[in-house]
Amino acid sequence: DFCRDIVLNDVDKHKAVTLVSNSIGTISSLQAVLDNPSLYKGVFVVCPNFRELHSAEIPLPSFSMPVIRGVQSLLRTYGQTAFDALAKPDTVKQILKEPYAVTEAVDDTLVQVLLDPLLTEGASQVVFDTLSYSAGPLPEQQLSVFPMDKPVWICYGTADPWTPGPRVEALKRFPVVESVEALTDIGHCPHDEAPELVH
């Protein structure tokens, strides 16, 4: 909705755009094209997220999903205190150093760019909603029905602890995926860690 109502409002109505997404944005960008294909040329995915808390991804779902849903419910109900404690510059910087292989990219500017939206009213609810969502499509399901005239390009960092390289490489099996590029020694946010390789 944001892309259709805000971004494309400033673009010539006869021009389509290419969506660029990172991590959990993969699901949203692929779905945007599926919902309104005429608005888009294609999608460039940076380090796709495979939604590890999705009910289809969890081993022994009949046992584990009730436990996960319980934890998610507790987080939504009582998580504000933890959220407030974590939404601090030093904590955010430390958290970012886990997925970033190029830790020099985690500077004060990046921390502030990410922290400012987290400090707005309602931001914690968005975070809890994201962490509590265990249904909906997986990238493979979306790509299996993706319009053939909307190419998908994918890159990922080989040092990304959150994105399984073999699973990303397996996306090549979908005809709509034009390329999958592995970026050596780069983590979860190549656009920050090695923008010269991504742009």
Side-chain angles (χ1 to χ4, degrees):
D1 292 342
F2 174 79
C3 189
R4 182 191 64 234
D5 298 341
I6 305 299
V7 176
L8 291 177
N9 195 40
D10 290 336
V11 175
D12 179 344
K13 296 297 182 194
H14 302 289
K15 262 178 132 172
V17 298
T18 299
L19 289 175
V20 179
S21 62
N22 173 239
S23 191
I24 194 65
T26 302
I27 304 297
S28 301
S29 63
L30 294 174
Q31 194 61 49
V33 174
L34 287 170
D35 290 346
N36 293 291
S38 65
L39 298 178
Y40 307 102
K41 293 179 185 175
V43 180
F44 176 45
V45 176
V46 180
C47 295
N49 179 281
F50 293 99
R51 303 182 55 220
E52 289 76 10
L53 290 180
H54 191 285
S55 57
E57 300 291 297
I58 301 293
L60 305 169
S62 59
F63 169 75
S64 54
M65 282 314 296
V67 173
I68 289 170
R69 285 191 186 104
V71 171
Q72 290 170 330
S73 177
L74 286 171
L75 180 64
R76 290 173 68 90
T77 305
Y78 302 106
Q80 189 64 48
T81 302
F83 182 88
D84 292 341
L86 294 173
K88 307 275 188 247
D90 289 342
T91 307
V92 170
K93 184 177 271 190
Q94 193 58 43
I95 291 169
L96 288 174
K97 288 183 179 178
E98 178 189 343
Y100 276 68
V102 181
T103 56
E104 301 79 38
V106 182
D107 60 15
D108 292 340
T109 301
L110 174 65
V111 169
Q112 207 56 51
V113 163
L114 295 173
L115 188 59
D116 285 348
L118 288 175
L119 298 176
T120 60
E121 186 177 341
S124 62
Q125 238 10 77
V126 173
V127 171
F128 299 149
D129 286 348
T130 301
L131 295 174
S132 300
Y133 187 56
S134 300
L138 293 169
E140 292 92 342
Q141 293 167 325
Q142 293 173 306
L143 290 170
S144 70
V145 295
F146 216 71
M148 287 304 297
D149 63 336
K150 308 297 176 190
V152 177
W153 304 272
I154 302 168
C155 73
Y156 71 98
T158 61
D160 180 354
W162 296 352
T163 304
R167 190 161 175 186
V168 180
E169 290 290 337
L171 297 177
K172 291 177 181 176
R173 73 183 185 273
F174 295 101
V176 72
V177 175
E178 288 206 356
S179 68
V180 174
E181 298 292 329
L183 306 175
T184 306
D185 298 327
I186 304 298
H188 192 64
C189 295
H191 47 287
D192 293 330
E193 298 174 64
E196 70 281 1
L197 299 178
V198 178
H199 299 285

